[in-house]
Amino acid sequence: MAASSKALIPETLTGNEDWTIVLPRHGKQRRNSPRIITPKEQQKPWCPSEIESDPHRESMLFQRMLNCIKKMESSQFYQNFVDQIQTPEVNMQMVIYGIGSIELYEPPRLQLSLAILMKRKFSWVGDIEVFDPILSATEARVLEALGCSVLSVNEQGRRCAMKPTLFFMPHCEAELYNNLLQANWGVMLKHMVVFGNSFEMYHQHVTEFKSSTIVNTAKHVLAVRRFSNEFGIDVISDDYFAAFHDSGWHFFNPDLGIELQLI
Ligand SMILES: C[S@@+](CC[C@H](N)C(=O)[O-])C[C@H]1O[C@@H](n2cnc3c(N)ncnc32)[C@H](O)[C@@H]1O
């Protein structure tokens, strides 16, 4: 894959016979569909701490999200972002982990707007599933009104990519990326793309500051650099800095002939 203006999504993911091609199921909620998880995973049922959604807050937040989506869609940031994406030959479901509170903060609203616009613009983007343990019932209702499914289980980021999956994980903790990579370590890395923090920067941090925390909690993040390509995105304006700085795409090319080493 060339690091050109058309750097993203496609080439590493095309022509892969191992993949099941899944057609998008627009508008269908998939809360109860089976998901494959690693045996190590401790799936924990989850429900928002606030028992009921507040209808007033819900309609305010829904309107706020619509405004944010509009703002994002007309921005130069978004134009550059979509120009960088080349259409893959497979459909991909999207899993959003760690979106944060869309009611309290603007960066999560901008991040969610970008994900929703991707689904609207690209027919190859399938259903969107979202999970963050801090979501309130009001936020969960608004997410569903926007066409997303909110998971009722905390997967700890350990979803196995049995089918092509775009993991949208803006500014998550290193541990969450690590859980995801660990769960898919090996051939399944080929089935996934991650949008999130720069893994290269974690590596630089370890090299420069000898951060033992990252070394201990993000072994797979550090090791995957040898089997992956990273493409940063252009943030362009200050409006989008908080939501997207140091973010980019990760594509994986595991060498299937050898067991992937962690060091
Ligand atoms: C550093 S914050 C980023 C929030 C937001 N994306 C932003 O940029 O402001 C990381 C987020 O990951 C969420 N998180 C923690 N554990 C998680 C899990 N098991 N699954 C999904 N999200 C999780 C946290 O609740 C938090 O909202």
Side-chain angles (χ1 to χ4, degrees), residues 96-101 105-108 111 131-135 153-157 169-173 176 179 197 242-244:
I96 304 180
Y97 287 137
I99 194 67
S101 170
Y105 306 111
E106 178 79 349
Q111 293 161 355
F131 186 74
D132 190 311
I134 56 91
L135 289 173
V153 166
N154 184 348
E155 301 177 339
Q156 310 287 355
M169 302 173 62
H171 291 172
C172 286
E173 305 291 350
L176 207 59
N179 284 356
N197 286 353
F244 298 106

Short mmCIF file of all heavy atoms in Angstrom, two decimals, residues 96-101 105-108 111 131-135 153-157 169-173 176 179 197 242-244, ligand 1:
data_model
loop_
_atom_site.label_atom_id
_atom_site.label_comp_id
_atom_site.label_asym_id
_atom_site.label_seq_id
_atom_site.Cartn_x
_atom_site.Cartn_y
_atom_site.Cartn_z
N ILE A 96 -17.25 0.62 17.24
CA ILE A 96 -16.68 1.82 17.87
C ILE A 96 -16.50 1.53 19.36
O ILE A 96 -17.48 1.31 20.07
CB ILE A 96 -17.61 3.04 17.70
CG1 ILE A 96 -17.91 3.29 16.22
CG2 ILE A 96 -16.97 4.27 18.34
CD1 ILE A 96 -18.83 4.50 15.98
N TYR A 97 -15.28 1.54 19.79
CA TYR A 97 -15.00 1.41 21.23
C TYR A 97 -14.48 2.76 21.73
O TYR A 97 -13.76 3.47 21.02
CB TYR A 97 -13.88 0.39 21.48
CG TYR A 97 -14.21 -1.07 21.29
CD1 TYR A 97 -13.31 -1.90 20.63
CD2 TYR A 97 -15.36 -1.65 21.82
CE1 TYR A 97 -13.55 -3.27 20.48
CE2 TYR A 97 -15.61 -3.01 21.67
CZ TYR A 97 -14.70 -3.81 21.00
OH TYR A 97 -14.94 -5.15 20.86
N GLY A 98 -14.81 3.07 22.99
CA GLY A 98 -14.19 4.21 23.67
C GLY A 98 -14.57 5.56 23.10
O GLY A 98 -13.74 6.47 23.07
N ILE A 99 -15.81 5.73 22.69
CA ILE A 99 -16.21 7.01 22.09
C ILE A 99 -16.24 8.13 23.14
O ILE A 99 -16.04 9.30 22.80
CB ILE A 99 -17.59 6.88 21.37
CG1 ILE A 99 -17.86 8.07 20.45
CG2 ILE A 99 -18.74 6.67 22.36
CD1 ILE A 99 -16.97 8.19 19.26
N GLY A 100 -16.45 7.80 24.38
CA GLY A 100 -16.53 8.84 25.42
C GLY A 100 -17.95 9.37 25.53
O GLY A 100 -18.88 8.88 24.88
N SER A 101 -18.12 10.41 26.33
CA SER A 101 -19.46 10.97 26.54
C SER A 101 -19.80 11.98 25.46
O SER A 101 -19.25 13.08 25.42
CB SER A 101 -19.54 11.65 27.92
OG SER A 101 -20.77 12.37 27.99
N TYR A 105 -18.92 16.12 26.04
CA TYR A 105 -17.72 16.62 25.36
C TYR A 105 -17.86 16.68 23.85
O TYR A 105 -18.44 15.79 23.22
CB TYR A 105 -16.51 15.73 25.72
CG TYR A 105 -16.30 15.60 27.20
CD1 TYR A 105 -16.53 14.38 27.85
CD2 TYR A 105 -15.89 16.69 27.96
CE1 TYR A 105 -16.35 14.25 29.22
CE2 TYR A 105 -15.72 16.58 29.34
CZ TYR A 105 -15.95 15.36 29.96
OH TYR A 105 -15.78 15.25 31.31
N GLU A 106 -17.21 17.70 23.31
CA GLU A 106 -17.23 17.91 21.86
C GLU A 106 -16.38 16.88 21.09
O GLU A 106 -16.84 16.37 20.05
CB GLU A 106 -16.75 19.35 21.55
CG GLU A 106 -16.67 19.71 20.09
CD GLU A 106 -18.02 20.06 19.45
OE1 GLU A 106 -19.06 19.81 20.09
OE2 GLU A 106 -18.01 20.56 18.31
N PRO A 107 -15.17 16.52 21.55
CA PRO A 107 -14.39 15.55 20.76
C PRO A 107 -15.16 14.24 20.49
O PRO A 107 -15.20 13.79 19.34
CB PRO A 107 -13.11 15.33 21.58
CG PRO A 107 -12.94 16.63 22.29
CD PRO A 107 -14.34 17.09 22.66
N PRO A 108 -15.83 13.64 21.48
CA PRO A 108 -16.61 12.43 21.16
C PRO A 108 -17.72 12.71 20.13
O PRO A 108 -18.00 11.86 19.28
CB PRO A 108 -17.20 12.01 22.51
CG PRO A 108 -16.24 12.55 23.51
CD PRO A 108 -15.77 13.85 22.95
N GLN A 111 -16.04 12.82 16.80
CA GLN A 111 -15.60 11.46 16.41
C GLN A 111 -16.79 10.63 15.93
O GLN A 111 -16.72 9.95 14.91
CB GLN A 111 -14.89 10.79 17.61
CG GLN A 111 -13.57 11.46 17.97
CD GLN A 111 -13.08 11.14 19.38
OE1 GLN A 111 -13.79 10.48 20.16
NE2 GLN A 111 -11.89 11.60 19.72
N PHE A 131 -19.60 0.81 21.88
CA PHE A 131 -19.56 0.54 23.32
C PHE A 131 -18.58 1.46 24.02
O PHE A 131 -17.46 1.67 23.57
CB PHE A 131 -19.18 -0.91 23.64
CG PHE A 131 -19.29 -1.18 25.12
CD1 PHE A 131 -20.53 -1.29 25.72
CD2 PHE A 131 -18.16 -1.19 25.93
CE1 PHE A 131 -20.66 -1.44 27.09
CE2 PHE A 131 -18.27 -1.36 27.30
CZ PHE A 131 -19.53 -1.49 27.88
N ASP A 132 -19.04 2.01 25.13
CA ASP A 132 -18.17 2.70 26.09
C ASP A 132 -18.88 2.54 27.42
O ASP A 132 -20.08 2.85 27.53
CB ASP A 132 -18.00 4.18 25.71
CG ASP A 132 -16.92 4.84 26.57
OD1 ASP A 132 -16.94 4.70 27.80
OD2 ASP A 132 -16.04 5.49 25.99
N PRO A 133 -18.18 2.06 28.45
CA PRO A 133 -18.88 1.82 29.73
C PRO A 133 -19.43 3.08 30.36
O PRO A 133 -20.29 2.99 31.24
CB PRO A 133 -17.80 1.18 30.61
CG PRO A 133 -16.50 1.47 29.96
CD PRO A 133 -16.78 1.65 28.51
N ILE A 134 -18.96 4.25 29.91
CA ILE A 134 -19.46 5.48 30.56
C ILE A 134 -20.73 6.04 29.91
O ILE A 134 -21.25 7.05 30.37
CB ILE A 134 -18.37 6.58 30.65
CG1 ILE A 134 -17.78 6.93 29.29
CG2 ILE A 134 -17.24 6.18 31.57
CD1 ILE A 134 -18.47 8.02 28.60
N LEU A 135 -21.22 5.39 28.88
CA LEU A 135 -22.41 5.93 28.21
C LEU A 135 -23.61 5.95 29.16
O LEU A 135 -23.85 4.99 29.90
CB LEU A 135 -22.78 5.07 27.00
CG LEU A 135 -21.84 5.15 25.79
CD1 LEU A 135 -22.26 4.11 24.74
CD2 LEU A 135 -21.83 6.55 25.19
N VAL A 153 -22.87 -5.66 26.35
CA VAL A 153 -21.81 -6.43 27.01
C VAL A 153 -20.51 -5.66 26.87
O VAL A 153 -20.22 -5.11 25.80
CB VAL A 153 -21.68 -7.82 26.32
CG1 VAL A 153 -20.39 -8.51 26.71
CG2 VAL A 153 -22.87 -8.69 26.64
N ASN A 154 -19.75 -5.60 27.95
CA ASN A 154 -18.42 -5.00 27.86
C ASN A 154 -17.45 -6.06 27.36
O ASN A 154 -17.07 -6.96 28.10
CB ASN A 154 -17.99 -4.47 29.23
CG ASN A 154 -16.64 -3.75 29.16
OD1 ASN A 154 -15.93 -3.82 28.15
ND2 ASN A 154 -16.31 -3.06 30.23
N GLU A 155 -17.06 -5.95 26.11
CA GLU A 155 -16.18 -6.96 25.51
C GLU A 155 -14.72 -6.73 25.89
O GLU A 155 -13.85 -7.50 25.49
CB GLU A 155 -16.30 -6.89 23.97
CG GLU A 155 -17.69 -7.15 23.47
CD GLU A 155 -17.81 -7.02 21.95
OE1 GLU A 155 -16.96 -6.37 21.31
OE2 GLU A 155 -18.77 -7.59 21.39
N GLN A 156 -14.45 -5.65 26.61
CA GLN A 156 -13.07 -5.27 26.97
C GLN A 156 -12.21 -5.10 25.72
O GLN A 156 -10.99 -5.32 25.76
CB GLN A 156 -12.42 -6.32 27.90
CG GLN A 156 -13.24 -6.74 29.08
CD GLN A 156 -13.30 -5.67 30.17
OE1 GLN A 156 -12.64 -4.63 30.09
NE2 GLN A 156 -14.12 -5.89 31.18
N GLY A 157 -12.84 -4.80 24.63
CA GLY A 157 -12.10 -4.58 23.38
C GLY A 157 -11.64 -5.87 22.72
O GLY A 157 -10.87 -5.83 21.76
N MET A 169 -11.64 3.55 17.00
CA MET A 169 -11.28 3.67 18.42
C MET A 169 -10.50 4.96 18.66
O MET A 169 -9.30 4.92 18.99
CB MET A 169 -10.44 2.45 18.84
CG MET A 169 -11.14 1.12 18.63
SD MET A 169 -10.09 -0.32 18.93
CE MET A 169 -9.65 -0.16 20.65
N PRO A 170 -11.15 6.11 18.50
CA PRO A 170 -10.42 7.36 18.61
C PRO A 170 -9.95 7.64 20.05
O PRO A 170 -10.74 7.59 20.98
CB PRO A 170 -11.45 8.42 18.16
CG PRO A 170 -12.78 7.78 18.39
CD PRO A 170 -12.60 6.30 18.24
N HIS A 171 -8.67 7.87 20.17
CA HIS A 171 -8.05 8.25 21.45
C HIS A 171 -8.39 7.29 22.59
O HIS A 171 -8.71 7.73 23.71
CB HIS A 171 -8.42 9.69 21.83
CG HIS A 171 -7.79 10.71 20.92
ND1 HIS A 171 -8.11 12.04 20.96
CD2 HIS A 171 -6.85 10.59 19.94
CE1 HIS A 171 -7.39 12.70 20.03
NE2 HIS A 171 -6.63 11.82 19.39
N CYS A 172 -8.35 6.01 22.32
CA CYS A 172 -8.56 5.03 23.41
C CYS A 172 -7.26 4.81 24.18
O CYS A 172 -6.18 5.23 23.77
CB CYS A 172 -9.04 3.69 22.83
SG CYS A 172 -10.75 3.77 22.29
N GLU A 173 -7.38 4.16 25.32
CA GLU A 173 -6.20 3.81 26.11
C GLU A 173 -5.44 2.70 25.39
O GLU A 173 -6.06 1.85 24.74
CB GLU A 173 -6.61 3.31 27.50
CG GLU A 173 -7.49 4.24 28.31
CD GLU A 173 -6.76 5.50 28.77
OE1 GLU A 173 -5.52 5.55 28.63
OE2 GLU A 173 -7.43 6.42 29.25
N LEU A 176 -6.70 -0.90 25.61
CA LEU A 176 -7.85 -1.36 24.81
C LEU A 176 -7.39 -1.81 23.41
O LEU A 176 -7.85 -2.83 22.90
CB LEU A 176 -8.89 -0.24 24.71
CG LEU A 176 -10.34 -0.68 24.50
CD1 LEU A 176 -10.83 -1.57 25.63
CD2 LEU A 176 -11.25 0.54 24.35
N ASN A 179 -5.78 -5.18 23.96
CA ASN A 179 -6.74 -6.29 24.10
C ASN A 179 -7.24 -6.74 22.74
O ASN A 179 -7.36 -7.94 22.47
CB ASN A 179 -7.95 -5.84 24.93
CG ASN A 179 -7.64 -5.75 26.41
OD1 ASN A 179 -6.55 -6.10 26.83
ND2 ASN A 179 -8.59 -5.26 27.18
N ASN A 197 -5.24 5.81 17.87
CA ASN A 197 -3.97 6.47 18.18
C ASN A 197 -2.84 5.89 17.35
O ASN A 197 -2.86 4.72 16.98
CB ASN A 197 -3.61 6.22 19.66
CG ASN A 197 -4.46 7.04 20.59
OD1 ASN A 197 -5.24 7.88 20.17
ND2 ASN A 197 -4.33 6.77 21.89
N ALA A 242 -8.40 18.49 19.01
CA ALA A 242 -8.65 17.72 20.25
C ALA A 242 -9.22 16.34 19.93
O ALA A 242 -8.91 15.36 20.60
CB ALA A 242 -9.59 18.50 21.15
N ALA A 243 -10.04 16.27 18.90
CA ALA A 243 -10.71 14.99 18.60
C ALA A 243 -9.82 14.03 17.81
O ALA A 243 -9.98 12.81 17.92
CB ALA A 243 -11.99 15.25 17.82
N PHE A 244 -8.88 14.57 17.02
CA PHE A 244 -8.20 13.68 16.06
C PHE A 244 -6.67 13.77 16.02
O PHE A 244 -6.06 13.14 15.16
CB PHE A 244 -8.75 13.95 14.65
CG PHE A 244 -10.22 13.66 14.54
CD1 PHE A 244 -11.15 14.70 14.46
CD2 PHE A 244 -10.69 12.35 14.54
CE1 PHE A 244 -12.52 14.44 14.38
CE2 PHE A 244 -12.05 12.09 14.47
CZ PHE A 244 -12.96 13.13 14.38
C1 LIG B 1 -9.18 8.52 26.73
S1 LIG B 1 -10.91 8.27 26.66
C2 LIG B 1 -11.29 8.83 25.03
C3 LIG B 1 -12.69 9.28 24.89
C4 LIG B 1 -13.00 9.96 23.53
N1 LIG B 1 -12.79 9.05 22.43
C5 LIG B 1 -12.18 11.22 23.37
O1 LIG B 1 -11.30 11.27 22.50
O2 LIG B 1 -12.42 12.16 24.13
C6 LIG B 1 -11.02 6.51 26.53
C7 LIG B 1 -12.43 6.00 26.57
O3 LIG B 1 -12.39 4.57 26.53
C8 LIG B 1 -13.45 4.10 27.30
N2 LIG B 1 -13.30 2.67 27.66
C9 LIG B 1 -12.69 2.16 28.76
N3 LIG B 1 -12.84 0.82 28.77
C10 LIG B 1 -13.55 0.48 27.67
C11 LIG B 1 -14.03 -0.75 27.15
N4 LIG B 1 -13.81 -1.91 27.79
N5 LIG B 1 -14.71 -0.74 25.99
C12 LIG B 1 -14.95 0.43 25.34
N6 LIG B 1 -14.52 1.64 25.80
C13 LIG B 1 -13.83 1.67 26.95
C14 LIG B 1 -13.45 5.03 28.50
O4 LIG B 1 -14.68 4.99 29.23
C15 LIG B 1 -13.19 6.36 27.83
O5 LIG B 1 -14.39 7.02 27.50
#
